[in-house]
Amino acid sequence: MSRHPTTLPGRHPDYILVSVAWPYASGPRHLGHAAGAYVPPDIFARYHRMMGDHVLMVSGSDMHGTPITVAADRLGVSARELAEENHLGIAESFRRLGLSYDLYTTTLTPIHYRVTQEFFTRLLEQGYLFQDTQPAMYDPEAQRFLPDRYVEGTCPHCGYADARGDQCDNCGRTLDPTDLINPRSKLSGATPETRDTTHFFLDLPKFQERLQTWVNAESGHWRPAVLGFVQGWLNEGLRARAITRDLDWGVPIPLEGFEDKRIYVWFDAVIGYLSASMEWAERRGDPEAWKRWWVLDADGNAPGRSYYFVGKDNIPFHAIIWPAMLMGYGGLALPYDVPANEFLTLAGQKLSSSRTYTARLPFLPEALELFDADAIRFFLTINAPESRDTDFSWDEFQRRNNDELVATYGNAVHRLLSFTQSRFGGVVPMPGPLAPEDEVMLERARATFETVGDQIEAVRLRDGLLSVMALAGALNRYLDEAAPWKTLKTDPERAATSLWTALQVISALRVLTAPYLPFSAQQLHEYLGEKGSVHALPWMFRDLPAARRLPTPQPLFRKLDDEELAGLVGRLDEETVVTGEPI
RNA sequence: GCCGACGUAGCUCAGCGGCAGAGCAAGGGACUCAUAAGCCCUUGGCCGGUGGUUCGAUUCCACCCGUCGGCACCA
């Protein structure tokens, strides 16, 4: 899908790696995930393609890990079957949302296994991994080791009876499973035993200094919350982290004597960015192509910029651990930016895929069943949690859709295209001499490309969309001022000139909205009498030639009335939440 | 408990050293091309609290209160 439209005059194309967080294949993702990590990189990638940059946008489903094995056991299927089924569902949702991945794969591919094992081996050889034996919780009935949060018991601090081994949900304190009073396995209810187990650890302290240097150099363009998080960990001093688990579902450890252990999900998942890039290259018949985004030159400089779009819960993996792994491996580009988003909340509560709320947020398959992808993308972007948690409510969704997307932008387009049909026979009129207000309007449309472009490049996607909407607002004001429906009776040439001017702005909006609202932008492109893809256009003002005949338009978006919305939301309440664990 | 972010109009959110902003909601008006959409005007805020720095603080600093997040085997 790496389209390379006309390179903009005088611009040297960049290599832009758009790395998107890997969804955990435990079940469908919801709107919060889409707002946090999936829609933003798509906007970013689409914009850069229109700028003529070489964009590689990769991701895939994270298929391994304990939660999937537990869910699979419960359903009586294999972990592979469950993960693959969920992967297909996630991929389908992403397709319908219009996410333009160059490759959306999984962590089950041969190439991913190979690259992960190579990474492991290289880090081991370089002395960045070590073995250590530690006690861990073991469920004698289920005959498996338990992650901390699969041990439950009474909180020693507050007496809460259902505290988890990693944290007490009641008082919020961080716990160790051995702290729990009357511990029990979440899987079988049995009393867990303590057993020693040997694992490999990533020696993060060895990277402390290099990471600090890198952060100092790079963080000028990072979001404050990301820098704060990373600096917090660095100030506290990094600790080694286990990167293997007692599991049979994961990438095997490439050493003898570790057949009953696997590489842990977070270690292999981040390697997915690299292995997916390689898979993409292989699939297009140019196996070396991935290097153009990844491999440092002789002076150690990165070939372009790598962006990692994640939710804030993923910051440590992408801004500390993965950079450390890359440093240890050597020769590969470190992240340029990790534009992590905050969370989308529902009535102030963090959205979790594992808990049910009476009025909850829809999962993506449901949302896409009920609403147009562009309406969803619009809401998630105009209300994006870029600098803090933002709130989702159905009222707000309806209002943003009806009063902003439909009324301001959709209506501006529709009133103009309809007017062209009814009064000008559907033909773009020939303009007369431009009045000063026409020039001002056109100049504003041209200037918006630079404004929005700067905002998108700074990953201020919400601001960019606000700027696009502001242009639509300015167009509405221009139209009311110019009132061609009035001047038509007194000065037809003036009316024609006003309409021509306004249609040029619509022509600009078709390009400006393309990264944000890919479906309606394409629709509008066709209403403007053009064939081909709007997404292949360069990011610049595009004339709409006079005398062109335009097809009969339909409204780009539809309003959601109260009754309809209530009915749709009511349906969500009746459904039960799918199996699965929070990612 | 420790660390961090946030607290701005009824609602959702911008702004972050120099007269408080937008959209929506509320009230009024002119228009009719348009999905009763769009446009104009008005109302509406001790910018969480208390101190401090400064000629000047919503903006910088300290403390307090509140919300959320992190605290390394949840990804």
Side-chain angles (χ1 to χ4, degrees), chain A residues 9-46:
Chain A
R11 189 170 186 279
H12 183 71
D14 290 324
Y15 282 88
I16 305 289
L17 179 68
V18 179
S19 298
V20 188
W22 288 55
Y24 195 54
S26 61
R29 301 297 91 186
H30 58 53
L31 287 187
H33 297 122
Y38 309 140
V39 171
D42 185 62
I43 295 164
F44 190 79
R46 286 178 182 276

Side-chain angles (χ1 to χ4, degrees), chain A residues 149-203:
Chain A
R149 67 199 180 102
Y150 279 81
V151 181
E152 294 179 331
T154 301
C155 174
H157 301 287
C158 71
Y160 180 62
D162 295 317
R164 299 188 322 200
D166 57 340
Q167 188 171 41
C168 173
D169 280 338
N170 188 50
C171 67
R173 282 199 172 77
T174 307
L175 302 175
D176 190 279
T178 54
D179 296 339
L180 292 172
I181 301 162
N182 298 325
R184 61 183 185 277
S185 165
K186 191 181 167 185
L187 299 183
S188 67
T191 304
E193 299 168 3
T194 303
R195 286 196 187 182
D196 280 347
T197 180
T198 299
H199 284 294
F200 283 91
F201 286 73
L202 176 63
D203 201 349

Side-chain angles (χ1 to χ4, degrees), chain A residues 17 81 203 268 452 555:
Chain A
L17 179 68
E81 285 170 323
D203 201 349
D268 88 75
V452 177

Side-chain angles (χ1 to χ4, degrees), chain A residues 438-457:
Chain A
D438 305 336
E439 302 277 16
V440 168
M441 183 73 252
L442 291 173
E443 181 46 39
R444 170 146 192 187
R446 285 202 184 85
T448 301
F449 283 89
E450 194 179 338
T451 305
V452 177
D454 288 349
Q455 288 164 327
I456 293 180
E457 294 202 19

